[in-house]
Amino acid sequence: MKFNDEAPKSWNIYHTEKKGLLLVRLWKRYLLVDMKEQEAYEIDPQTVKQRGEDVEWSPADKPDQPIETPEWKTRDVGSVQLVKFRLGKDGHILELQIPLLINGKPAY
């Protein structure tokens, strides 16, 4: 993961039960990233419960409106899919590097 072209000091990516949905922790902020719809949602950190290395979170807590994510770009680079987008019109740039399986499909 990169945030404004630098690796953040505190981050994690969690898998959801639905393929193509990732819960991204960036410092104390949580984002639900929908790779298929190319959308990101701000998730209230108080609705996310840490359970060891995993988290518990309910999709019912997803906001109605996504964050504006202009400049969304997806690219396959060998065994990795790069997803890069801007958070808001003039906001920060988030880049995720998602590992791909041998068949070319995302591992998450």
Side-chain angles (χ1 to χ4, degrees):
M1 177 184 304
K2 290 184 181 178
F3 187 74
N4 292 333
D5 291 325
E6 293 185 17
K9 293 182 181 182
S10 179
W11 66 276
N12 206 340
I13 297 177
Y14 303 97
H15 315 269
T16 65
E17 291 182 14
K18 188 173 177 187
K19 195 167 181 101
L21 284 179
L22 303 172
L23 186 63
V24 176
R25 181 181 55 80
L26 186 59
W27 293 288
K28 294 181 180 181
R29 182 179 192 181
Y30 285 91
L31 299 171
L32 180 66
V33 177
D34 186 335
M35 308 238 313
K36 182 179 175 186
E37 298 297 325
Q38 298 185 347
E39 295 176 334
Y41 297 84
E42 183 88 36
I43 303 299
D44 181 355
Q46 295 181 3
T47 64
V48 180
K49 306 292 182 223
Q50 192 75 33
R51 301 282 185 235
E53 292 187 18
D54 292 324
V55 293
E56 287 182 9
W57 175 80
S58 172
D61 294 329
K62 179 180 100 172
D64 293 332
Q65 295 295 317
I67 300 169
E68 184 179 359
T69 53
E71 302 178 34
W72 189 292
K73 297 176 186 172
T74 304
R75 205 173 76 160
D76 289 345
V77 187
S79 62
V80 173
Q81 180 181 28
L82 295 177
V83 177
K84 188 174 185 177
F85 57 90
R86 184 174 297 279
L87 296 168
K89 184 178 176 184
D90 298 316
H92 301 287
I93 294 177
L94 183 64
E95 180 180 310
L96 306 174
Q97 299 174 11
I98 310 299
L100 297 175
L101 300 173
I102 294 173
N103 64 6
K105 296 191 183 228
Y108 306 122

